[in-house]
Amino acid sequence: SLIVRVNIHPYPVFLLAGLVPWNAFAQSLIQATTSVTDSRGIVSKVAFPRQVLPLSAVLSGSVNFLISLGLLAILTVVLHPHLGWSILLLPLLVLLQVTFTFGLGAILAAAQVYFRDVQYFVGVFLTAWFFLTPVVYSIDFVPPRLRPILLLNPMAWDISSFQAIWFYGRIPSVGYLVLFAAVAGLSLLLGIIVFGRLSRRFSEEV
């Protein structure tokens, strides 16, 4: 709030309301991307549902996500006691984010088996994606002419919904929730299909 001159108070609560879910998403996605290649010894020798690998990576990241949300709750109560009934929607947001992450992570995990540089592109892409998502700034600060472009980003709907609950103490935009639910469902469906088809040759490629 001092260096960037963001006129949001208390800024730590606003920042962490977006940073906590974003970090969980980014870390889970990176771990899911390499989940199959990191387990090549098991994949090439043991027959089991390969979908377990990206799923376990996302779920392990979700445990840290839940712990961080608990710490965020304490900080919010201390610095900005503005929580309302909208907090009851938090489990839905977490579920949608985990679903979206798993679907995308499954696709990237399958691609990583055939193209080993995928993990590096994911890291670069996530950095750019971070700055295109309203994590360190409010979406209201974006010029109106550019806002529609920014709102094509599914994570903008997700992060704005978390900020609505934690910082503003209000129900997230119904439009954001519906759109993110649709994208999360599509991500899950595509992830299952793509991973299922490409996993047939995993034992040969790893």
Side-chain angles (χ1 to χ4, degrees):
S1 59
L2 296 176
I3 299 175
V4 187
R5 305 290 183 180
V6 177
N7 189 25
I8 300 175
H9 303 284
Y11 185 62
V13 175
F14 177 86
L15 176 63
L16 290 175
L19 198 58
V20 166
W22 174 266
N23 282 344
F25 165 70
Q27 292 172 6
S28 296
L29 193 62
I30 290 173
Q31 292 174 3
T33 300
T34 59
S35 60
V36 177
T37 52
D38 287 346
S39 305
R40 59 177 60 90
I42 301 176
V43 172
S44 60
K45 297 178 181 179
V46 181
F48 66 98
R50 306 289 196 260
Q51 292 86 347
V52 171
L53 296 174
L55 179 60
S56 62
V58 173
L59 291 181
S60 64
S62 300
V63 173
N64 294 329
F65 184 20
L66 295 177
I67 295 173
S68 298
L69 287 177
L71 297 175
L72 176 58
I74 297 174
L75 180 68
T76 303
V77 170
V78 172
L79 296 181
H80 190 61
H82 201 56
L83 293 176
W85 289 105
S86 58
I87 194 69
L88 296 177
L89 291 174
L90 187 61
L92 173 62
L93 275 180
V94 173
L95 177 61
L96 290 178
Q97 179 169 311
V98 170
T99 302
F100 176 66
T101 307
F102 169 66
L104 189 56
I107 296 173
L108 293 173
Q112 170 69 12
V113 174
Y114 295 89
F115 308 100
R116 299 303 171 91
D117 291 334
V118 168
Q119 59 180 316
Y120 305 113
F121 287 106
V122 170
V124 173
F125 183 70
L126 282 172
T127 300
W129 197 350
F130 173 80
F131 289 105
L132 293 174
T133 304
V135 176
V136 299
Y137 57 88
S138 171
I139 199 169
D140 297 330
F141 294 172
V142 179
R145 67 180 185 278
L146 298 177
R147 204 171 299 167
I149 299 175
L150 189 70
L151 289 177
L152 294 175
N153 173 8
M155 286 304 293
W157 313 329
D158 182 40
I159 298 300
S160 295
S161 297
F162 275 100
Q163 291 167 342
I165 290 176
W166 289 111
F167 186 78
Y168 297 105
R170 66 191 183 201
I171 295 177
S173 167
V174 175
Y176 289 174
L177 289 177
V178 171
L179 286 171
F180 193 58
V183 170
L186 180 61
S187 171
L188 177 63
L189 179 61
L190 290 176
I192 292 175
I193 293 174
V194 172
F195 191 93
R197 290 183 177 179
L198 295 181
S199 64
R200 297 167 185 170
R201 293 182 54 197
F202 278 1
S203 58
E204 303 172 11
E205 296 292 335
V206 295

